[in-house]
Amino acid sequence: MKILVVGSGGREHALVWKLLQSPRVTKIFCAPGNAGISGLATCLKISATDIEALADFAQTEGVGLTVVGPEVPLSLGIVDYFEEKGLRVFGPRRNAATLEGSKVFMKDLLEKYHIPSAFYATFTDREEALCYVEKQAAPMVVKTDGLAAGKGVVVAQTIAEAKAAVDLFMKEKAFGEAGNRVVVEEFLRGEEASFLAFTDGETVLPLPSSQDHKAIFDGDKGPNTGGMGAYSPAPVVTEALHRQVMETVMLPTVKGLAAEGCPYKGVLYAGLMIDEGVVKVLEFNCRFGDPEAQPLLMRLKTDLVEIMEAVIDDRLAEISLEIDPRPTVCVVMAAGGYPGKYENGKVIQGLAKAGEHKDVVVFHAGTALQGDAVVTNGGRVLGVTAIGETVQEAIAKAYKAAAEISWDGCYYRKDIGRKALDRV
């Protein structure tokens, strides 16, 4: 079977790496891919959002399965378009992907189906939003309604910070049309965890728990990023909490979407806040997380092609997931200046040496080939991912391999997985 993976990040590198392990796969294409993916798949000069060109390629080449990595093509309706052309594609249709594409849609759905989440209010008028903020108690959270690559969220510690966030989104248009509507939310205390599951719209098959590290600096300080590292499992998600998430969040959400005429197929990712044994939803994503995909796919032993085909064919109930019991850790190496301004084109040293480390895979995210050299081509550049007998061992392996790699301005957090160690 020929497979097309859409996207160019660390998540897509991990998907290509895992899909290649299936005996059913003969060739993988990736559009547009990156330097690391080019060693495993044929990279295409087609944008992840050029849906017509992607479908034309899939038809001409006889692609048996297309796997969509990022959220933007899903929100643009890539799955609907491919299905209309008779092509097999893994991911939610456009109406279901609105769960990530619009925070207002998500919050309204959660409220309607009594799924636990933070108290909120939504605004299209800046003055009304500013008046509301003035009457609230800090801290509070201000979010863009639309997609902003994981960065359209400000946790405001003061009223002034909240008002500045409203202006950033609605007046300065830092994220364009995504900030035409904003959501102002109650601040939830506790510890975050990521909960991902496959679903065919009826059966919900959970992956192991994981935890992302969104802030740029150690100790979860500084502005949010797309994710600076992740590990799996997340000890904060106990067996009892796992059951609570399935019963109060995942199953009701899938049922609610079906009742709204938006049946959901693909990977459903809940960002959760856990406080004293109580779970609340922070956000939903309609695809694998990045960087969570890297540690999760490293633990997944079941053939990913079989799972994805079962989702497409409404027979996920026939599948059971085999998971490596060993923990995994991913350390994201980023460009200096990220999540603000940064420079591309820095030559990356030490990749071959890092790749020799046992139980480690260096997943590429923002990389490109420049002649024979691999250079930086994005804010988040690499995801050094390791598996170990213990979380401590996995952390040590990931950081040992990361220490082999360098480029001008290279930066990474030094505390990925520390919350897991605190609970061991």
Side-chain angles (χ1 to χ4, degrees):
M1 179 195 286
K2 293 178 185 177
I3 291 186
L4 170 62
V5 174
V6 176
S8 62
R11 162 186 51 224
E12 287 74 36
H13 191 175
L15 284 166
V16 169
W17 175 81
K18 179 53 68 177
L19 289 162
L20 260 182
Q21 295 169 19
S22 170
R24 295 180 56 199
V25 173
T26 54
K27 188 170 178 60
I28 298 186
F29 301 95
C30 189
N34 60 41
I37 292 170
S38 68
L40 303 174
T42 301
C43 290
L44 310 173
K45 288 183 178 174
I46 306 175
S47 161
T49 56
D50 192 346
I51 292 166
E52 287 184 27
L54 291 166
D56 287 347
F57 177 85
Q59 278 187 316
T60 306
E61 194 60 44
V63 168
L65 173 66
T66 296
V67 179
V68 187
E71 60 273 24
V72 175
L74 291 169
S75 291
L76 292 173
I78 187 171
V79 172
D80 311 57
Y81 190 83
F82 270 58
E83 286 180 351
E84 284 160 19
K85 299 279 182 186
L87 293 163
R88 288 172 71 76
V89 57
F90 177 84
R93 292 175 72 95
R94 185 176 189 164
N95 59 1
T98 308
L99 190 67
E100 178 170 8
S102 167
K103 295 194 179 64
V104 174
F105 173 86
M106 180 202 79
K107 295 294 291 187
D108 289 350
L109 182 95
L110 296 183
E111 186 174 59
K112 182 173 179 178
Y113 291 97
H114 311 294
I115 296 159
S117 186
F119 177 78
Y120 72 107
T122 64
F123 302 93
T124 52
D125 183 281
R126 176 175 155 260
E127 291 300 330
E128 285 180 19
L130 291 170
C131 285
Y132 177 82
V133 161
E134 283 200 332
K135 294 171 188 164
Q136 304 309 303
M140 70 188 86
V141 183
V142 184
K143 299 178 177 179
T144 60
D145 174 44
L147 296 172
K151 301 183 198 82
V153 177
V154 172
V155 179
Q157 299 298 331
T158 64
I159 302 293
E161 277 182 31
K163 289 168 82 170
V166 169
D167 279 346
L168 181 71
F169 299 155
M170 302 192 88
K171 186 181 177 185
E172 296 167 36
K173 297 287 181 193
F175 299 102
E177 290 182 12
N180 287 350
R181 274 200 299 188
V182 297
V183 178
V184 182
E185 262 185 12
E186 154 198 19
F187 174 75
L188 295 178
R189 297 182 190 280
E191 189 172 334
E192 282 191 51
S194 304
F195 196 100
L196 284 78
F198 294 104
T199 179
D200 58 5
E202 195 166 314
T203 300
V204 178
L205 194 59
L207 278 152
S209 62
S210 56
Q211 189 171 70
D212 183 16
H213 298 62
K214 283 195 166 59
I216 185 70
F217 301 126
D218 286 11
D220 296 328
K221 300 286 194 294
N224 269 352
T225 69
M228 290 302 295
Y231 62 90
S232 174
V236 66
V237 182
T238 60
E239 276 186 42
L241 273 169
H242 191 283
R243 282 194 301 275
Q244 186 187 139
V245 173
M246 285 294 286
E247 288 165 12
T248 67
V249 175
M250 304 304 282
L251 289 164
T253 300
V254 169
K255 283 179 184 168
L257 285 164
E260 294 295 312
C262 314
Y264 191 100
K265 287 180 159 194
V267 170
L268 184 59
Y269 162 164
L272 306 171
M273 185 63 84
I274 299 163
D275 187 32
E276 295 180 356
V278 177
V279 170
K280 289 188 177 181
V281 176
L282 290 172
E283 63 177 357
F284 272 112
N285 295 321
C286 294
R287 32 76 193 181
F288 274 104
D290 189 347
E292 293 96 333
Q294 292 86 305
L296 287 173
L297 290 171
M298 196 178 246
R299 293 186 68 200
L300 180 66
K301 287 184 163 183
T302 312
D303 187 324
L304 187 55
V305 174
E306 299 289 349
I307 300 166
M308 289 178 167
E309 294 231 290
V311 166
I312 293 167
D313 296 331
D314 302 320
R315 50 179 183 81
L316 191 60
E318 298 171 12
I319 300 285
S320 57
L321 297 186
E322 188 185 352
I323 303 295
D324 193 315
R326 295 176 295 168
T328 47
V329 173
C330 171
V331 175
V332 170
M333 304 184 75
Y338 175 80
K341 286 183 180 172
Y342 56 85
E343 288 179 28
N344 288 332
K346 308 285 188 184
V347 175
I348 304 170
Q349 311 281 357
L351 285 169
K353 217 169 176 189
E356 290 169 5
H357 283 242
K358 191 172 178 284
D359 299 328
V360 173
V361 182
V362 180
F363 292 112
H364 289 228
T367 67
L369 287 170
Q370 206 171 76
D372 292 336
V374 178
V375 299
T376 64
N377 189 40
R380 293 186 299 158
V381 180
L382 301 168
V384 182
T385 309
I387 192 163
E389 292 300 326
T390 63
V391 70
Q392 202 152 7
E393 189 181 294
I395 291 168
K397 285 179 179 178
Y399 276 110
K400 200 171 178 185
E404 305 273 20
I405 301 167
S406 63
W407 67 85
D408 182 26
C410 165
Y411 168 78
Y412 52 97
R413 278 180 59 163
K414 307 298 189 294
D415 65 343
I416 304 302
R418 190 163 293 164
K419 285 179 188 167
L421 290 180
D422 292 345
R423 290 180 179 272
V424 170

